[in-house]
Amino acid sequence: MDFQPTEDQKALREGIRSFVEGQLPFDRIPEIEKAGGFDRDLWNEVAEMGVFALRLSENEGGVGLGFSDAVLVFAELGRRLVPGPVVWTHLAAGLVDGAATGETVVGGVDLMGPTPEPVVVEYFDTLDVLLVLRSDGVYRVDPATCEAKPVDVPLDPLTPIHHVTALPEGDKIGDADAAARLRLEGAAIISGVQLGLSEGALELANDYAKERQQFGRPIGGFQAVKHMLAEMFVKQEAARAGAYNAGATLDAPEVADVQKAVSAAKVTAGESAIRNARTGIQVHGGMGFTWEVMAHYYLKRAWVCENMFGTQDEHAEKIATILEAAN
Amino acid sequence: MDLRTTPEEQKFRDDLAAWLASEVPAYGPPPSTHDWDARRAYDTGWQRKLFEAGYAGINWPKEYGGLDASGVEQLIYFEEIAKANAPYIGVNFVGMLHGGPTIMVEGTEAQKAAHIPRIISGEEVWCQGFSEPVAGSDLANLQTRAERDGDHYVVNGHKIWTSFAHVADYCEMLVRTDPDSSKHGGISWLIMPMDLDGIDIRPLPTLEGEGEFSEVFLEDVRIPVSNLVGKENDGWRVTNVTLRFERGTAFASDMIQLQAFVAKMVETAKKITSDGATAWDDKALRREIGHLSGELESLWAMVKLSVCEAKETGVPGVGASAVKLYYTDIFQRTTELAVRLLGRAGISRSDVMDLPAQHFFARHFNAISTAIAAGTSQIQKNIIGERILGQVKEPKPNPA
């Protein structure tokens, strides 16, 4: 067993990190926000980096990497709030033509959970293909055949949404197992994004606490603030362990219960992303409650991710079911 | 990032599991927690068995009779020990995790020869004389004095929270040998035989009603100078060598036991009924248990990450404080939920109607102490805030 990221994985992480920081400095966010939350140029750059083709084998035109690598990469995207239906398009690589190259923008909706209404779809306007996960299979839907209305104010300013009021069945392109598989993989990848959100929120708050002075000293020197930051660090490391564990277990399913590992990741990283975002706002004090600092973007994205591929509650119940079966 | 075990790791696991499967049931259950002589005999007897089978001193170097196991093998060891429900390290804790390792690194050849083989084989039990009534988190503020008188140190002072003092043969004792030097500069590390004149051991019952703690009062206790470990007045550095051994995988077996505890909660929830439905039928409860179990899974992954990082860098991961904090938090929330689950039976510490109140409260109280012992949660948060996140330090009113 060697659970640390390998040298190659560290290099991959560094590569994606410097790319994202270069392409998406925080001062570009207002511009993307004004343009409706999706940036085609940035999307193409992400595709060029191989993010969508990452897990596709080399003879299918992919990079041939595994879930552990994917989790690391998506953590970097989450850390800098990269917008767009990146997770769905990544999942669709190999299943939908053009997804691997980013040429086809693929979004999705997961109707396998217990509360399929209302059907709300992210980035609907920009989608070429809509994947629908139902308990009996994976369906491909042409967005042009749907009835949908844009929602005026989405929660996350970088995640525009539509309420899909009429959703045709579409073409079945995968069976029930494939749908369950995509949902499981999607939850693991999202836990990576949530790790990134946890890291980004902490980084922002930690830097601020070093600069911001009150009573003649940096606020991070006060135990009350320092301890909030330390709690964020603990949450971040828990999210990291959970997300890495999910990725590595998907890569070597013989080592442990994959569902338990993925559900554990979604629970841990989901909680971490939300908590860290909220605590990050508190560390920023009054400014944290304004639109001007980045803190609120992390909180809003955290809630978007919480509601993708199963909430903490759903995954907690899955774990309980596993515990019951073992008892 | 590879969770698969190598064939060597798997063989280590299989051999250990096979040995435990035959030895643990034969050794029998532990004696009453009140019977200290029996506890010492039980714990040291098991240590002897481990030693004879070559499984003692999992992280001790081979030259001292240990296994010198890799971090991953240590995790496997703890997993198998917990799975087999093998005896806890118990009274051997201080010797195996503190005293022995410190003497290995800092002791003289005579000290090594006298103690190391006897600690690892379970013949010698140690206790720890670090904490004092005024020196808790501020450990270096200790007041116990040792004055040189010929070949002896004459020691006077008062130690507290001394685990296993009444069954120990030796004590790792921190004393102030130079009252005039800086706070950290005048401390020495001594081996104190517990049968010397002038040692008064008084049990210190905890909120559990008993427990392993004592207060130790020292009046003109004469300790031979040859029992000094490291140099005189260099005890603070020696202590940090000791404490480094305490971190790392010290809590690993407890974390695994917590997984078994969750399984026990599920079993109990199925037995508790109200209006014909069991507690386990309650979706909110199931979610809460599932959530905690998921966090435990991530916690164990965190330990794996930290152990593998230590293998790479040669030092315990910077996240050791994060592991302890996360463990403490999950431990407290889990055991509190267990106690809530008992309902009215939870106002009893004896089992009523076969509901495991005794076990649940024992673990809950243990969880409370975890946030205090080995560096309080607040101290751990300072360590993270300052050493990892780079925030400015707490003001030090009494700089050393």
Side-chain angles (χ1 to χ4, degrees):
Chain A
M1 183 202 296
D2 188 357
F3 194 34
Q4 277 290 299
T6 62
E7 289 310 312
D8 284 350
Q9 285 173 330
K10 286 178 191 164
L12 176 69
R13 182 169 65 188
E14 288 313 309
I16 297 282
R17 177 171 295 192
S18 64
F19 158 75
V20 175
E21 287 179 354
Q23 295 301 312
L24 190 59
F26 284 143
D27 55 19
R28 268 206 69 194
I29 296 274
E31 179 193 322
I32 296 174
E33 201 178 318
K34 236 176 262 167
F38 184 78
D39 186 278
R40 189 80 213 190
D41 291 339
L42 180 64
W43 178 264
N44 290 338
E45 300 269 1
V46 170
E48 287 269 304
M49 285 297 285
V51 167
F52 304 131
L54 199 70
R55 286 185 302 106
L56 224 50
S57 70
E58 286 175 37
N59 51 25
E60 289 172 291
V63 191
L65 296 177
F67 281 98
S68 341
D69 309 284
V71 163
L72 291 179
V73 166
F74 276 86
E76 294 309 318
L77 303 188
R79 192 170 153 273
R80 294 300 272 211
L81 300 160
V82 171
V86 284
V87 175
W88 278 103
T89 302
H90 170 91
L91 289 172
L95 200 62
V96 173
D97 285 346
T101 58
E103 212 172 311
T104 310
V105 180
V106 184
V109 56
D110 164 17
L111 300 183
M112 295 177 76
T115 52
E117 283 292 335
V119 176
V120 178
V121 177
E122 300 97 323
Y123 302 103
F124 184 83
D125 261 351
T126 50
L127 301 181
D128 301 308
V129 171
L130 178 66
L131 286 185
V132 182
L133 303 186
R134 297 193 176 95
S135 43
D136 70 331
V138 184
Y139 292 81
R140 179 187 171 133
V141 174
D142 179 355
T145 63
C146 300
E147 277 173 36
K149 48 184 186 200
V151 174
D152 286 349
V153 186
L155 170 68
D156 174 11
L158 299 176
T159 308
I161 53 169
H162 276 61
H163 178 195
V164 176
T165 49
L167 181 66
E169 189 178 274
D171 302 323
K172 190 170 180 176
I173 59 168
D175 59 11
D177 286 348
R181 177 83 193 163
L182 275 187
R183 192 166 197 256
L184 188 72
E185 295 174 355
I189 304 283
I190 281 290
S191 75
V193 177
Q194 290 169 320
L195 160 63
L197 295 173
S198 312
E199 291 181 302
L202 172 55
E203 196 181 8
L204 205 64
N206 197 48
D207 288 348
Y208 183 78
K210 287 176 186 171
E211 288 163 18
R212 171 70 172 163
Q213 304 248 338
Q214 292 282 266
F215 307 102
R217 50 196 302 243
I219 59 169
F222 295 110
Q223 220 171 41
V225 176
K226 188 179 290 172
H227 285 193
M228 283 198 286
L229 295 167
E231 283 157 16
M232 291 171 79
F233 180 80
V234 175
K235 290 277 176 211
Q236 168 195 289
E237 291 309 299
R240 180 188 318 287
Y244 287 8
N245 187 48
T249 308
L250 274 166
D251 284 338
E254 70 274 20
V255 298
D257 185 323
V258 177
Q259 180 67 59
K260 192 176 181 203
V262 171
S263 288
K266 193 68 175 45
V267 162
T268 313
E271 183 178 352
S272 171
I274 293 168
R275 285 295 174 100
N276 276 15
R278 243 172 54 188
T279 311
I281 290 172
Q282 180 71 16
V283 169
H284 280 82
M287 283 311 291
F289 200 67
T290 70
W291 202 280
E292 284 177 44
V293 298
M294 293 301 297
H296 71 108
Y297 290 91
Y298 284 99
L299 180 63
K300 292 166 179 173
R301 185 67 61 85
W303 279 110
V304 173
C305 292
E306 170 67 13
N307 287 285
M308 288 179 81
F309 304 107
T311 61
Q312 288 178 57
D313 280 344
E314 281 179 66
H315 284 283
E317 278 185 67
K318 279 185 191 294
I319 296 170
T321 307
I322 293 167
L323 287 176
E324 184 179 18
N327 211 287
Chain B
M1 229 187 268
D2 190 346
L3 287 171
R4 286 169 301 190
T5 46
T6 64
E8 293 76 29
E9 289 163 352
Q10 191 57 43
K11 182 175 185 320
F12 177 78
R13 186 190 287 280
D14 294 343
D15 290 349
L16 177 60
W19 183 79
L20 289 166
S22 71
E23 294 297 327
V24 173
Y27 196 66
S32 153
T33 51
H34 302 272
D35 187 344
W36 277 99
D37 288 340
R39 279 177 71 182
R40 174 177 164 136
Y42 183 83
D43 293 351
T44 55
W46 179 251
Q47 181 69 25
R48 177 101 209 155
K49 276 197 169 298
L50 286 173
F51 176 68
E52 283 166 358
Y55 284 121
I58 181 82
N59 60 344
W60 280 32
K62 285 216 164 77
E63 58 173 309
Y64 296 114
L67 257 100
D68 199 18
S70 70
V72 171
E73 283 169 342
Q74 291 180 43
L75 296 185
I76 291 172
Y77 179 86
F78 289 123
E79 283 176 347
E80 293 306 321
I81 289 275
K83 226 183 277 174
N85 202 17
Y88 183 61
I89 189 168
V91 302
N92 305 298
F93 184 92
V94 176
M96 288 303 298
L97 272 81
H98 285 231
T102 305
I103 289 173
M104 269 178 230
V105 179
E106 299 288 334
T108 63
E109 289 311 313
Q111 288 165 349
K112 287 180 194 176
H115 298 289
I116 301 279
R118 290 172 55 81
I119 291 172
I120 193 168
S121 61
E123 288 162 84
E124 206 172 279
V125 171
W126 281 57
C127 62
Q128 186 186 64
F130 281 15
S131 299
E132 296 182 7
V134 293
S137 293
D138 188 9
L139 177 58
N141 192 27
L142 56 93
Q143 308 295 322
T144 294
R145 296 185 322 278
E147 282 160 42
R148 189 78 176 256
D149 178 21
D151 292 343
H152 286 80
Y153 289 109
V154 180
V155 179
N156 282 282
H158 175 188
K159 296 288 176 177
I160 195 169
W161 317 122
T162 314
S163 300
F164 314 121
H166 37 328
V167 291
D169 306 303
Y170 292 92
C171 178
E172 47 175 16
M173 173 68 62
L174 286 186
V175 293
R176 189 158 291 288
T177 33
D178 181 0
D180 300 325
S181 110
S182 71
K183 188 168 153 188
H184 296 86
I187 295 170
S188 297
W189 203 106
L190 300 178
I191 301 169
M192 181 175 82
M194 291 299 283
D195 56 0
L196 295 179
D197 288 339
I199 300 175
D200 181 17
I201 301 166
R202 300 180 202 164
L204 179 61
T206 66
L207 53 77
E208 290 180 89
E210 50 189 59
E212 60 197 40
F213 294 135
S214 292
E215 289 183 271
V216 179
F217 294 85
L218 306 159
E219 194 182 339
D220 293 333
V221 180
R222 295 181 67 84
I223 301 178
V225 170
S226 59
N227 283 17
L228 172 69
V229 174
K231 292 197 175 68
E232 191 174 277
N233 298 329
D234 193 28
W236 187 250
R237 191 189 56 79
V238 177
T239 302
N240 281 312
V241 171
T242 314
L243 293 179
R244 216 177 308 147
F245 279 96
E246 190 182 35
R247 291 169 191 151
T249 55
F251 292 100
S253 61
D254 302 278
M255 293 177 198
I256 301 206
Q257 278 174 1
L258 198 49
Q259 290 170 344
F261 185 85
V262 171
K264 180 88 182 162
M265 283 165 70
V266 174
E267 186 193 312
T268 306
K270 286 179 182 172
K271 282 199 300 202
I272 291 180
T273 56
S274 172
D275 291 338
T278 73
W280 186 248
D281 294 326
D282 177 359
K283 197 179 199 172
L285 177 85
R286 276 203 314 274
R287 280 182 176 176
E288 215 170 331
I289 290 180
H291 199 287
L292 286 163
S293 172
E295 288 185 272
L296 261 177
E297 169 110 4
S298 296
L299 171 68
W300 191 238
M302 207 186 211
V303 173
K304 287 178 184 168
L305 264 176
S306 159
V307 160
C308 292
E309 187 189 349
K311 185 170 74 179
E312 208 170 282
T313 60
V315 291
V318 287
S321 292
V323 172
K324 187 183 180 243
L325 280 166
Y326 194 45
Y327 164 60
T328 303
D329 179 48
I330 298 173
F331 192 10
Q332 294 192 341
R333 286 188 288 130
T334 304
T335 55
E336 188 176 282
L337 178 60
V339 168
R340 265 164 56 205
L341 185 61
L342 294 171
R344 294 274 302 157
I347 57 177
S348 164
R349 277 191 66 198
S350 299
D351 296 355
V352 181
M353 274 183 69
D354 206 20
L355 295 173
Q358 194 186 338
H359 180 52
F360 282 7
F361 269 106
R363 297 299 282 156
H364 185 46
F365 293 153
N366 187 211
I368 292 170
S369 78
T370 304
I372 302 168
T376 64
S377 293
Q378 287 64 39
I379 290 285
Q380 305 293 344
K381 286 178 190 176
N382 278 0
I383 290 173
I384 291 174
E386 292 165 12
R387 297 192 204 160
I388 300 178
L389 298 176
Q391 296 296 341
V392 297
K393 292 199 169 189
E394 285 293 301
K396 294 254 190 287
N398 179 16

